[in-house]
Amino acid sequence: MSVTAPAGFEAAGVAVGLKSSGEPDVAMVVNRGPLKVGAAVFTSNRAKANPIMWSEQVIQDGVVEAIILNSGGANCFTGSFGFQTTHQTAEKVATELGVSAGDVLVCSTGLIGTGDELFRSRVLEGVSQSAASLSVDGGVQASEAIMTTDSKAKRSVVTRDGWSIGGMAKGAGMLAPGLATMLVVITTDAVLDASQADAHLRDATRVSFDRLDSDGCMSTNDQVTLMVSGASGITPSASEFGSALAEVCLELSRQLQGDAEGASHDITIEVVNAASEQDAVEVGRSVARNNLFKAAIFGNDANWGRVLAAIGTTDAAFDPYDVDVWMNGVRVCTAGGPDRPREDVDLTPRATHLVIDLKEGSSTATILTNDLTHDYVHENSAYSS
Amino acid sequence: MSVTAPAGFEAAGVAVGLKSSGEPDVAMVVNRGPLKVGAAVFTSNRAKANPIMWSEQVIQDGVVEAIILNSGGANCFTGSFGFQTTHQTAEKVATELGVSAGDVLVCSTGLIGTGDELFRSRVLEGVSQSAASLSVDGGVQASEAIMTTDSKAKRSVVTRDGWSIGGMAKGAGMLAPGLATMLVVITTDAVLDASQADAHLRDATRVSFDRLDSDGCMSTNDQVTLMVSGASGITPSASEFGSALAEVCLELSRQLQGDAEGASHDITIEVVNAASEQDAVEVGRSVARNNLFKAAIFGNDANWGRVLAAIGTTDAAFDPYDVDVWMNGVRVCTAGGPDRPREDVDLTPRATHLVIDLKEGSSTATILTNDLTHDYVHENSAYSS
C-alpha cells in the first residue's frame, strides 16, 4: 500500500516514455487533508538539482498539497531551461489539482545533465496522466514509477492504534549521507503541525537514511518528504510517532541497502563504546567508505587490518592498540592484534555484521553499507548508456 | 641503477622466503658517506605499523646510516612482539655494518597482522644475506625486493652537473595521500644538511606522492626516505636541487599510478582557476575518490555529472553554475550545463586528462588517480589469500 496506506492520500504512477524500457516513470502523491502539513530534508550536496532548489522554497511554509516525482532524468545541471521545467511542472500539477504551485514539491532522478525539451514535454504529460489516475490504491504504482536502477520497489507501512505511516523509497546507487540518490515519500494520517513534522523527520533521517553509506557518493537530487493529512484525527505522543517514523525510515533504509547496485553483502557496521556518537559515526563511515575493506568482504575475506587502517584516518578518540574487531560473531582482532584466525569467519551469508569496540566511552552508532563488487563496477561503468 | 646511481651508496636485494613466490623480499640501502644525512616523511594514518614508530624516532637527529626494507608482511598490529622484531632488525643491521641501531631506518610492507616468529627469523636472515650482498650495483635488486603486488619495479634517476638523485618506489594499492602503501627510498650525492634535506623532501612529496590518490585508502606503513651521501662534493642551489628532487618524485608517482592494482586508466585531474591551492587539491581529491566517476571512466563514459556531484561535496569556493569540465580535450560541461556530447570524448587511451575550471581565482593543482575496474575489485578481494 505504501504512501496510500494512511487515510487522506491518493497516488498514481504512469508511464510517459522517460524510461526507454516503457516502465512507469512519473509518480504523484496528493494530500487530501484535512491537514496539508509537509516537511522535507534535502541533499547537502552543494551541486543541487533544479527540483531541489524549487522544493527548498516550497517547504518553507510547511504546507504541501502534492508531490510529483519523475525517474528517467535528474534535471540537474540543465541550466535555466531546466529550472523552468521544474517550475512548469509544479504549475501544471497546481492547475490539475486546483491548488497553489507554491505548495507542490518536485523530485527528479536519473542521469545528471538530462533535461531537454523532450524531457520537459514528457514530464508535463506525466502530470496530466497521473492527475487523471489518482487513487487511494495508487501507492504501489507510485512506488514503481520512481524506480531507476532499483530491482524492486521499496515500501513500508507501520500501523498503530487508529493511525499509520506509509512510505516509499527509490535508490540503488549514490547511496551516501547527505543524503544519497534517494527519493523518499512518507505519509501519515496522524495529527502533527509543521514544526513537529519537521523535527520528527530530522530525528528519524539522522539515524536511518543518513547512516546508509553504500558507496560514499552523494547525490544532487535527494529528498525525503513527510506529508501529514491528519485524517485519523488522532494525535500520538511525540515518542509514539517518533518511534513509528524511525521504524519506517529504518525499514526503507534496509530495503535500499539490500538493493544497492551490484552488492553481494549487506554490511552492518556497529561501532560501540565510542567517546561520542559523532566519533562512532565517523569511524563507521570511514570503514564503510574504504574500498579495500569493501572488496575484501566481496571476497569473503575477514581482512580486519583494513578496518584498523580505515579507523586510523579519522579524528575519533581511539588507541589503535586497544581496539577489538568482531566479524559475524568471531573476534578477529583484540587490542589491536590478531585474535582468532580470519578463516574462522563465515562471510558467505549476504548479511555481514562488523562490530568495532573502541573502548573509549559509551556511545554507539550503526552504519549500513555494501561490499564493492564486479557488478558494482559493471553497473556504474555503463550507467548512462 | 636506482638508489645506487649517486656516489656513496651500496644496496642489495635478497630472497629469504617472506614471499611465497620465492622472489626477492628484503632490501638494504647503505650510505657510505662522507655525509650521513637523512630525512623522511611518514604515513599520517594514526594506525601506524611498528617500523613507522621505530623510524620516526631514528629520523629525529637527521642521521641515517642505512635503511632495511622487507615485503611479505607489514608488521602492523602485531603487538609488542612486532615492535621487538623491528628493534631486533635494526640492531642486526647495526651489528653487520658496525653502526648505531639508532641510525637504521626500517620499512615493512605486506599484509597487516603478519609478524610472527617465522616472519622475524626470515627478516633477520634477510639482514645477514643483504649485508653480505651489498654492492654499488645493487640498486636494481633492491628495487625488485620491495615489490608486493607491483607488476614492475619503479626506479628513477636524475643526473645534473656532477651530482645526481636516484630513487626506487613500491606501491600498487592503498595509494592515497598521507601517504599510501608506498615505500620510497631516494638517494643523492649532492651536499645537503639535515634541515635542507627535510625541507626539500617535504616540498617535493607535497606536490607528488601526496597528490597521487589511486583508491583513497591510506596505508599504515608508508615512508619516503631521502639519504644524502654528499659524495659528489657539490652543493647545488636550493632551486636546482628542489626541481631535480621534484622530478624524481613525480616520475616515481607516475610509475606508481601506471601500475595501480587493476587500473585501466591513468587519470590526471587538473583543477584550474581555484581560489586557493587548498581548494584545488580538495576538489581534485573529491573527484579522485568518487567511485561512480571512476567506474564511468572504466566504462569509457565521459559522465561529467558525476564530476560536478563530487565537487559539490567539498567546501571549496565554487559556483556550480560557473564550472567548466573538459575530458581529453573536449569541453563536455560549460557553466554547469551540457556542452559537447559525451560521445565526442575518446576515452579509449589509458591516459585520461580531466580539466576542471572553477573560475574563482588563479590557483591550480593536479591529482593523479585511476579508474575503478573489475580487476581492482578482484585483486583486492583475494589479497590475503
Side-chain angles (χ1 to χ4, degrees):
Chain A
M1 288 290 284
S2 137
V3 292
T4 48
F9 294 93
E10 292 179 16
V14 300
V16 293
L18 287 162
K19 286 180 185 164
S20 54
S21 64
E23 299 288 317
D25 41 27
V26 172
M28 188 186 288
V29 182
V30 178
N31 184 352
R32 297 300 188 187
L35 302 181
K36 301 294 178 76
V37 168
V41 294
F42 302 95
T43 181
S44 57
N45 198 315
R46 293 168 61 206
K48 290 173 186 178
N50 289 305
I52 295 293
M53 291 187 278
W54 171 265
S55 296
E56 283 179 337
Q57 297 306 312
V58 168
I59 207 65
Q60 295 295 328
D61 64 0
V63 178
V64 174
E65 293 274 359
I67 183 168
I68 180 94
L69 312 94
N70 77 274
S71 50
N75 193 7
C76 180
F77 296 119
T78 47
S80 58
F81 181 86
F83 191 80
Q84 288 162 14
T85 299
T86 295
H87 189 179
Q88 288 184 22
T89 305
E91 290 284 0
K92 181 142 192 184
V93 172
T95 305
E96 295 277 358
L97 300 178
V99 301
S100 160
D103 298 331
V104 177
L105 294 170
V106 181
C107 293
S108 298
T109 180
L111 188 65
I112 294 175
T114 303
D116 57 8
E117 302 250 13
L118 184 60
F119 171 86
R120 178 189 285 184
S121 67
R122 283 176 169 161
V123 170
L124 294 176
E125 170 63 21
V127 172
S128 308
Q129 287 194 23
S130 55
S133 311
L134 286 168
S135 146
V136 294
D137 301 319
V140 169
Q141 290 105 299
S143 70
E144 288 165 354
I146 59 174
M147 291 165 65
T148 52
T149 55
D150 307 67
S151 72
K152 61 188 84 164
K154 285 94 183 166
R155 299 185 287 267
S156 175
V157 175
V158 166
T159 304
R160 294 287 187 263
D161 191 17
W163 58 276
S164 63
I165 303 177
M168 66 178 186
K170 71 78 45 179
M174 273 203 196
L175 288 175
L179 311 163
T181 308
M182 179 192 304
L183 298 181
V184 181
V185 179
I186 299 166
T187 55
T188 184
D189 50 12
V191 174
L192 282 87
D193 67 24
S195 72
Q196 289 167 334
D198 183 72
H200 277 300
L201 185 62
R202 287 178 196 284
D203 282 351
T205 54
R206 190 177 64 81
V207 296
S208 57
F209 301 116
D210 263 353
R211 295 198 180 166
L212 171 64
D213 194 336
S214 175
D215 64 2
C217 294
M218 187 190 293
S219 162
T220 50
N221 286 58
D222 293 322
Q223 182 170 336
V224 179
T225 302
L226 172 62
M227 297 167 76
V228 181
S229 73
S232 71
I234 295 172
T235 306
S237 73
S239 69
E240 273 179 309
F241 187 80
S243 72
L245 183 63
E247 192 176 324
V248 167
C249 290
L250 210 54
E251 169 59 24
L252 290 173
S253 297
R254 290 276 181 196
Q255 289 182 37
L256 291 165
Q257 179 191 30
D259 197 26
E261 284 169 355
S264 70
H265 288 83
D266 297 336
I267 309 171
T268 302
I269 303 172
E270 192 179 347
V271 182
V272 303
N273 297 322
S276 66
E277 187 179 341
Q278 186 183 337
D279 274 10
V281 170
E282 186 186 0
V283 164
R285 234 189 252 311
S286 74
V287 176
R289 293 185 171 186
N290 189 280
N291 279 350
L292 292 173
F293 165 73
K294 291 155 80 86
I297 296 299
F298 168 57
N300 296 336
D301 172 10
N303 196 322
W304 56 268
R306 293 175 179 176
V307 174
L308 291 187
I311 300 172
T313 65
T314 70
D315 293 321
F318 86 107
D319 176 348
Y321 292 96
D322 206 20
V323 173
D324 293 354
V325 177
W326 304 69
M327 287 197 195
N328 284 357
V330 177
R331 190 165 62 184
V332 284
C333 167
T334 302
D339 192 336
R340 284 177 57 192
R342 62 181 66 205
E343 294 75 21
D344 287 4
V345 182
D346 179 11
L347 284 168
T348 52
R350 184 175 174 99
T352 307
H353 191 202
L354 179 69
V355 178
I356 300 166
D357 186 345
L358 294 178
K359 300 184 194 166
E360 291 283 344
S362 57
S363 295
T364 67
T366 298
I367 300 289
L368 307 179
T369 189
N370 296 98
D371 53 352
L372 179 62
T373 70
H374 292 296
D375 287 349
Y376 176 89
V377 174
H378 179 73
E379 292 191 30
N380 286 298
S381 59
Y383 178 67
S384 67
S385 58
Chain B
M1 287 292 284
S2 134
V3 290
T4 48
F9 293 93
E10 292 179 16
V14 299
V16 293
L18 288 162
K19 287 180 185 164
S20 54
S21 64
E23 300 287 317
D25 41 26
V26 172
M28 188 186 289
V29 182
V30 178
N31 184 351
R32 296 301 189 187
L35 302 181
K36 301 295 179 73
V37 168
V41 294
F42 302 96
T43 180
S44 57
N45 197 316
R46 294 167 62 206
K48 291 174 186 176
N50 290 305
I52 296 293
M53 291 187 279
W54 172 265
S55 295
E56 283 180 336
Q57 297 308 310
V58 168
I59 207 65
Q60 294 295 326
D61 64 0
V63 178
V64 173
E65 293 275 358
I67 184 167
I68 180 94
L69 314 93
N70 76 274
S71 50
N75 194 8
C76 180
F77 296 120
T78 48
S80 58
F81 181 86
F83 190 79
Q84 287 162 14
T85 298
T86 296
H87 190 178
Q88 289 184 20
T89 305
E91 289 284 359
K92 183 144 191 182
V93 172
T95 303
E96 295 278 359
L97 301 178
V99 301
S100 161
D103 298 330
V104 176
L105 294 169
V106 181
C107 293
S108 298
T109 180
L111 188 65
I112 293 174
T114 302
D116 58 8
E117 301 250 12
L118 185 61
F119 172 84
R120 178 189 286 184
S121 67
R122 282 175 170 162
V123 171
L124 293 176
E125 171 63 23
V127 172
S128 307
Q129 286 194 23
S130 55
S133 311
L134 286 168
S135 145
V136 293
D137 301 318
V140 170
Q141 290 104 300
S143 70
E144 288 166 353
I146 59 175
M147 292 165 64
T148 52
T149 54
D150 306 67
S151 73
K152 60 189 86 164
K154 284 94 182 166
R155 297 184 289 266
S156 176
V157 176
V158 165
T159 303
R160 293 287 185 264
D161 191 17
W163 58 277
S164 64
I165 302 177
M168 65 178 188
K170 69 80 43 178
M174 274 203 193
L175 288 176
L179 312 162
T181 306
M182 176 193 305
L183 298 181
V184 181
V185 180
I186 300 165
T187 54
T188 184
D189 50 11
V191 175
L192 283 87
D193 67 23
S195 71
Q196 291 167 332
D198 183 72
H200 278 300
L201 185 62
R202 287 179 196 283
D203 282 352
T205 55
R206 190 177 64 81
V207 295
S208 56
F209 301 115
D210 262 356
R211 295 196 180 167
L212 171 64
D213 195 336
S214 176
D215 64 2
C217 294
M218 188 189 292
S219 162
T220 50
N221 286 58
D222 293 322
Q223 182 170 335
V224 180
T225 302
L226 172 62
M227 297 167 77
V228 181
S229 72
S232 71
I234 295 171
T235 306
S237 73
S239 70
E240 273 180 308
F241 187 80
S243 72
L245 183 63
E247 193 177 325
V248 168
C249 289
L250 210 55
E251 169 58 24
L252 290 173
S253 297
R254 290 276 181 196
Q255 289 181 37
L256 290 165
Q257 179 191 31
D259 197 27
E261 284 169 353
S264 69
H265 288 82
D266 298 334
I267 309 170
T268 301
I269 303 172
E270 192 179 346
V271 182
V272 303
N273 297 323
S276 67
E277 187 179 342
Q278 187 184 336
D279 274 12
V281 170
E282 185 186 359
V283 164
R285 235 190 251 310
S286 75
V287 176
R289 293 185 172 186
N290 188 281
N291 278 351
L292 292 174
F293 166 73
K294 292 156 79 86
I297 297 299
F298 168 59
N300 296 336
D301 172 12
N303 196 321
W304 56 268
R306 293 176 179 175
V307 174
L308 291 186
I311 300 173
T313 67
T314 70
D315 293 322
F318 85 107
D319 175 347
Y321 293 95
D322 206 21
V323 174
D324 293 354
V325 178
W326 303 69
M327 287 197 198
N328 284 355
V330 177
R331 191 165 60 184
V332 285
C333 167
T334 301
D339 192 336
R340 285 178 54 194
R342 63 181 68 205
E343 294 75 19
D344 287 4
V345 181
D346 179 11
L347 285 168
T348 52
R350 184 175 175 102
T352 308
H353 191 201
L354 179 70
V355 178
I356 300 166
D357 186 345
L358 294 178
K359 300 183 194 165
E360 291 284 344
S362 57
S363 294
T364 67
T366 299
I367 299 289
L368 308 179
T369 191
N370 297 98
D371 53 351
L372 179 61
T373 69
H374 292 296
D375 287 347
Y376 176 88
V377 174
H378 179 72
E379 292 191 30
N380 287 297
S381 60
Y383 178 67
S384 67
S385 57

